[in-house]
Amino acid sequence: MRKIIVHEFITLDGVIQAPGSPTEDTDGGFTHGGWTLPYWHDEIGAHFGPIFGEADTLLLGRKTWQTHGEAFEPDPAGDPFAGMKKFVVSTTLKSADAWRDSHIISENVIEEIRNLKSQPGKNIVMDGSSV
């Protein structure tokens, strides 16, 4: 059975935020977007290779999926997730066409994820998607 690997940028006090820009994820008045950038170093970047090299599937929430899709769909050659299947858990999305190789899970989420884990393949990475 495949593993689900949770990959998060999280502070010791529980703030989950991507290493993006100050304007990323400002919901609820969050004003610290991009907080990881001053702490970024090559060892962090090197950490990604093994995790994503052992995976062939992404499991994402709607907001993370939309952010990734907006960044990577326009440039397939620069998409670090190219060739991976993407599953987005959402009750509001009506289409997964905004990012290639994407599928929506909108009902029976636990059952659908159990089914996904039982399929042959590499690990499943949950990137971001704290909700």
Side-chain angles (χ1 to χ4, degrees):
M1 182 173 288
R2 303 194 302 172
K3 295 179 187 177
I4 294 178
I5 308 298
V6 178
H7 183 263
E8 304 279 4
F9 289 92
I10 186 168
T11 63
L12 293 176
D13 59 350
V15 175
I16 297 175
Q17 172 69 17
S21 73
T23 59
E24 183 178 17
D25 195 15
T26 57
D27 291 358
F30 185 74
T31 59
H32 304 289
W35 64 269
T36 61
L37 293 177
Y39 307 103
W40 197 266
H41 51 82
D42 289 343
E43 288 179 37
I44 293 173
H47 170 78
F48 295 117
I51 289 173
F52 288 100
E54 296 175 4
D56 62 4
T57 304
L58 287 176
L59 177 62
L60 306 169
R62 179 191 51 82
K63 287 168 54 175
T64 303
W65 177 83
Q66 286 176 315
T67 300
H68 282 4
E70 289 168 1
F72 303 125
E73 179 64 22
D75 180 18
D79 185 346
F81 307 110
M84 295 182 86
K85 292 180 184 174
K86 295 110 180 151
F87 289 86
V88 54
V89 176
S90 174
T91 57
T92 59
L93 283 176
K94 302 301 179 210
S95 170
D97 292 342
W99 194 15
R100 73 199 140 281
D101 300 321
S102 293
H103 311 276
I104 300 172
I105 298 174
S106 60
E107 296 179 348
N108 305 315
V109 174
I110 293 172
E111 181 180 323
E112 290 295 324
I113 292 173
R114 282 185 180 138
N115 288 337
L116 186 62
K117 282 183 65 180
S118 69
Q119 295 173 7
K122 295 180 175 183
N123 292 333
I124 301 162
V125 173
M126 193 176 103
D127 186 45
S129 307
S130 62
V131 178

